[in-house]
Amino acid sequence: MRSAATFRGGWLAAGIGLLLLFPLSSPDEFFLDVFTTGFLLAAFAASWDVIGGVSGQITLGHALPFGAAAYSCALLTSLAGWPLPLAVAAAVLLAAAVGMGIGALSAPLAGPFVALLTLALGEIAHEAATGHTFFSGPGGYAWGGEGGIPVALPWQDAPPFSSYYAALTFLCIASYGMLRFSRSGAGLILRAVAGSPITAQASGVPISRFKRLAFAVGSAFAGAAGAGFALHVGRATATDLSLELSFQAATFAAVGGRGTIVGPVVAALVLHILFQGLSLPPSARVLLYALTLLVTLRFFPGGVVGTARDLASRLGRKEGARPPRRRGRNRAGEGTR
Amino acid sequence: MASPLPQVLLDGFFAGGTYALMAAGMALILGVVKVINLSHGAFFTLGAYVAYALAERGIGSPLAAAPLAAVIAFAFGVFLGKSFVNPARAHPFALPVGTLACALLFEQAAQMVWGPHPLSIEAGEPWIGPGGLIIRQWGVIAFLSSAALLGGLKWVLSSRPGLPLRLIAEDEEIAGSLGMDVEAIRYLTFGGACAMAAAAGALLSPSGAVTPTMGRAPLLLSLVVVIVAGMDSVAAIFLLSIGLGIFGNACAWLLSPQWSYVALLAVVCLLLSARPAGIVVLAGRRD
């Protein structure tokens, strides 16, 4: 098993190496932008996985912490005139607090009702962001609404490869952090809560507290990704809070394999770069995401990682070896309810 | 006209009565298939677009649009029920996310075919009632046909042909052991409930703008109805839908149309956080 792990680590290192080399091949600026957005979305997808995969709380309002951080970044820098690092830190803290709140509200609910509540909360935030316009700023023109709120950036026209490398660094650090969290003691308890809340409770786990913890951690990372996205685009817009964005995160996680953190990251990178790189119109993209998700759910319920694991174990059985018993980790944190 | 309030209430009354058709479909799915169908709103939108397409071709009658929309939605619903909902029923993750995917799929497809802009349907000359009240013909027809269909549903459910549905809702294992084809009844019910949502969409289409995302608010309305009124009483669903229709219209009139959607969302959040124990029956029963 250790050799397999090193092997996988090798692939990961090779992938990061390729991504580091990519801007040096002097590609089109458009592709650099696609990749940069892809890194931020991948971190966002992984943060969904902390809540929806590892802890089994199906959230359909994950755009809420993402957009809340983006908006607070924009408002704090442009309106309140805070320095950028302070605004980003405040935005991440706010996202964590938002997550804590969502977790507290959804902790007593079971199964599909968590999805319903988070969906409703996300939609309320989206409607508020779309509908609320106000006049402000030195220019005196309208802010908010569909157009969003600009972020006051201390730099002008950052070179595209610097945002590329910044986003890639962020993705690596964030995914490492989330991976460590998901494999820590708390992560293990969360997997137990996902597998069977009653068993976990009977073993003395305060499940409400752990659900809140999962939401807070996942939302903090989502907020970091949202703040990064606002810095990259230079604006916080209502689409940062949209149902489509939450749905995308769930799609990436389902396609990559829920509960694996790395799977959603890879799925987000591949799918986003593929669909965005083809410069499809946004509605065609969402349509393709929905189709991909339905096909995955129907035919590969474990996602890419889960299917690969199944295939590997089946191949091992064919060669006459005893089928490796799946170790304690419940593949996608489900089925044992 | 003195005050627009009676007009607002009247329109809400007619609309709410028609929403009841959709909410009853939601309740059927919840009771028999034991699934929360987040794509229910998409079928509502589908019905509205069918009505629009027919009106474009000169057949501007709800009585033509609703049956056609219902048949189309039944076909899609049976397909969805048979190929996705039934196999994925036991999956706590696949169902909400998958049905949401279906809804987004349809929204985007509609946006590509008909464009994102609101479309409107010519509803014909309204009648002028007492006190300058405008009584829209489609509204009356929609309300009456919805009430008739719900009455029919209530009768079917309480008589011999509805017995399998009630039995499966009560205990699917006994239903199976009595020789009923539980899976088939499930996807047929799913299709039928989708047809009800589409018929409601076709009946209600002239009262507002037809847009790709128009089904989201009725979806929430149905969810609220199902959470509060439960799945047993058709009459409770009907009355509550009327109440919510009036509430939504009043919100739209007092604040702005967008706020009636936010108000419904807020009601869903409040309900879920106020009585988490009252609604987890569904989740617990699945074991």
Side-chain angles (χ1 to χ4, degrees):
Chain A
M1 219 49 202
R2 174 172 296 165
S3 70
T6 358
F7 184 59
R8 224 179 297 148
W11 276 110
L12 217 59
I16 293 173
L18 274 181
L19 288 175
L20 283 172
L21 272 178
F22 176 69
L24 303 180
S25 67
S26 52
D28 203 28
E29 275 195 20
F30 168 72
F31 284 107
L32 273 184
D33 181 70
V34 168
F35 273 80
T36 311
T37 317
F39 296 148
L40 296 168
L41 274 183
F44 178 58
S47 75
W48 187 94
D49 202 33
V50 169
I51 304 173
V54 175
S55 332
Q57 305 299 307
I58 313 300
T59 163
L60 291 177
H62 201 48
L64 180 50
F66 183 92
Y71 266 90
S72 52
C73 232
L75 286 172
L76 286 177
T77 54
S78 304
L79 209 61
W82 287 28
L84 192 64
L86 203 61
V88 170
V92 174
L93 281 180
L94 178 83
V98 166
M100 192 85 91
I102 301 175
L105 280 179
S106 72
L109 298 172
F113 294 108
V114 176
L116 210 56
L117 178 78
T118 49
L119 188 151
L121 288 172
E123 280 287 275
I124 289 178
H126 178 241
E127 288 298 316
T130 328
H132 191 65
T133 11
F134 56 96
F135 289 89
S136 182
Y141 38 77
W143 276 8
E146 287 288 355
I149 297 165
V151 182
L153 294 171
W155 58 77
Q156 275 163 357
D157 292 330
F161 60 85
S162 67
S163 7
Y164 177 96
Y165 282 122
L168 181 58
T169 315
F170 166 67
L171 172 64
C172 291
I173 296 174
S175 332
Y176 179 72
M178 285 185 265
L179 206 59
R180 283 302 294 270
F181 175 74
S182 76
R183 290 179 181 172
S184 67
L188 201 64
I189 292 176
L190 285 173
R191 284 179 200 276
V193 172
S196 164
I198 298 174
T199 316
Q201 201 168 15
S203 321
V205 172
I207 49 175
S208 296
R209 215 171 75 204
F210 274 92
K211 283 181 184 173
R212 284 202 300 275
L213 173 74
F215 269 98
V217 171
S219 302
F221 279 107
F229 191 71
L231 296 189
H232 173 55
V233 182
R235 255 180 142 49
T237 60
T239 43
D240 296 348
L241 287 162
S242 64
L243 179 60
E244 282 81 359
L245 188 66
S246 307
F247 171 71
Q248 259 185 33
T251 305
F252 293 142
V255 171
R258 289 193 306 130
T260 60
I261 307 286
V262 177
V265 167
V266 174
L269 286 178
V270 171
L271 287 180
H272 174 79
I273 289 166
L274 196 68
F275 292 163
Q276 188 97 24
L278 295 173
S279 22
L280 299 168
S283 60
R285 246 180 289 145
V286 177
L287 198 141
L288 279 176
Y289 280 127
L291 267 183
T292 317
L293 176 75
L294 284 174
V295 169
T296 310
L297 287 180
R298 181 68 185 83
F299 299 107
F300 312 101
V304 173
V305 174
T307 312
R309 254 183 223 158
D310 281 357
L311 265 181
S313 73
R314 214 175 297 162
L315 283 180
R317 206 176 304 159
K318 229 174 230 171
E319 281 162 17
R322 184 176 294 181
R325 266 193 65 188
R326 196 176 292 144
R327 291 184 301 166
R329 202 182 308 147
N330 182 341
R331 191 197 330 145
E334 67 206 0
T336 40
R337 280 156 50 74
Chain B
M1 197 156 74
S3 154
L5 187 62
Q7 182 69 51
V8 168
L9 297 183
L10 185 74
D11 287 348
F13 178 78
F14 284 143
T18 318
Y19 283 133
L21 194 56
M22 181 178 178
M26 186 76 138
L28 259 186
I29 295 182
L30 200 59
V32 177
V33 197
K34 300 193 179 67
V35 152
I36 288 188
N37 177 23
L38 290 181
S39 65
H40 215 55
F43 285 96
F44 182 88
T45 318
L46 172 76
Y49 274 108
V50 168
Y52 172 77
L54 278 185
E56 280 280 275
R57 287 161 182 72
I59 316 170
S61 160
L63 294 177
L68 181 65
V71 171
I72 296 175
F74 181 72
F76 276 122
V78 166
F79 168 72
L80 185 61
K82 190 168 183 176
S83 63
F84 183 75
V85 174
N86 267 358
R89 265 183 80 242
H91 250 253
F93 170 69
L95 263 177
V97 181
T99 51
L100 179 69
C102 294
L104 290 179
L105 189 71
F106 179 75
E107 280 179 7
Q108 303 305 328
Q111 187 172 337
M112 287 168 92
V113 176
W114 286 287
H117 309 293
L119 307 168
S120 61
I121 295 177
E122 186 55 49
E125 281 295 304
W127 301 312
I128 306 296
L133 272 182
I134 300 168
I135 301 170
R136 295 185 176 81
Q137 292 182 31
W138 277 57
V140 177
I141 297 174
F143 183 86
L144 291 180
S145 29
S146 161
L149 283 170
L150 283 175
L153 178 74
K154 189 173 164 57
W155 179 77
V156 166
L157 281 181
S158 58
S159 65
R160 186 76 183 81
L163 189 63
L165 293 185
R166 273 182 295 144
L167 186 57
I168 290 177
E170 170 102 16
D171 193 326
E172 54 200 59
E173 276 176 29
I174 291 186
S177 67
L178 286 176
M180 291 172 185
D181 189 347
V182 176
E183 292 296 304
I185 292 172
R186 271 202 193 115
Y187 64 69
L188 289 176
T189 309
F190 193 84
C194 294
M196 289 162 77
L203 289 171
L204 270 178
S205 55
S207 68
V210 178
T211 64
T213 53
M214 68 184 289
R216 290 187 184 181
L219 167 71
L220 287 164
L221 189 141
S222 322
L223 283 170
V224 172
V225 169
V226 170
I227 291 174
V228 175
M231 316 152 224
D232 299 327
S233 160
V234 177
I237 289 174
F238 190 64
L239 291 179
L240 191 62
S241 297
I242 290 179
L244 280 173
I246 293 174
F247 167 73
N249 245 27
C251 275
W253 174 68
L254 286 173
L255 302 159
S256 80
Q258 190 198 20
W259 283 102
S260 69
Y261 179 49
V262 176
L264 277 175
L265 287 164
V267 171
V268 170
C269 292
L270 283 179
L271 277 177
L272 285 178
S273 38
R275 36 178 297 194
I279 43 170
V280 287
V281 187
L282 166 82
R285 220 193 250 174
R286 193 177 284 157
D287 290 320

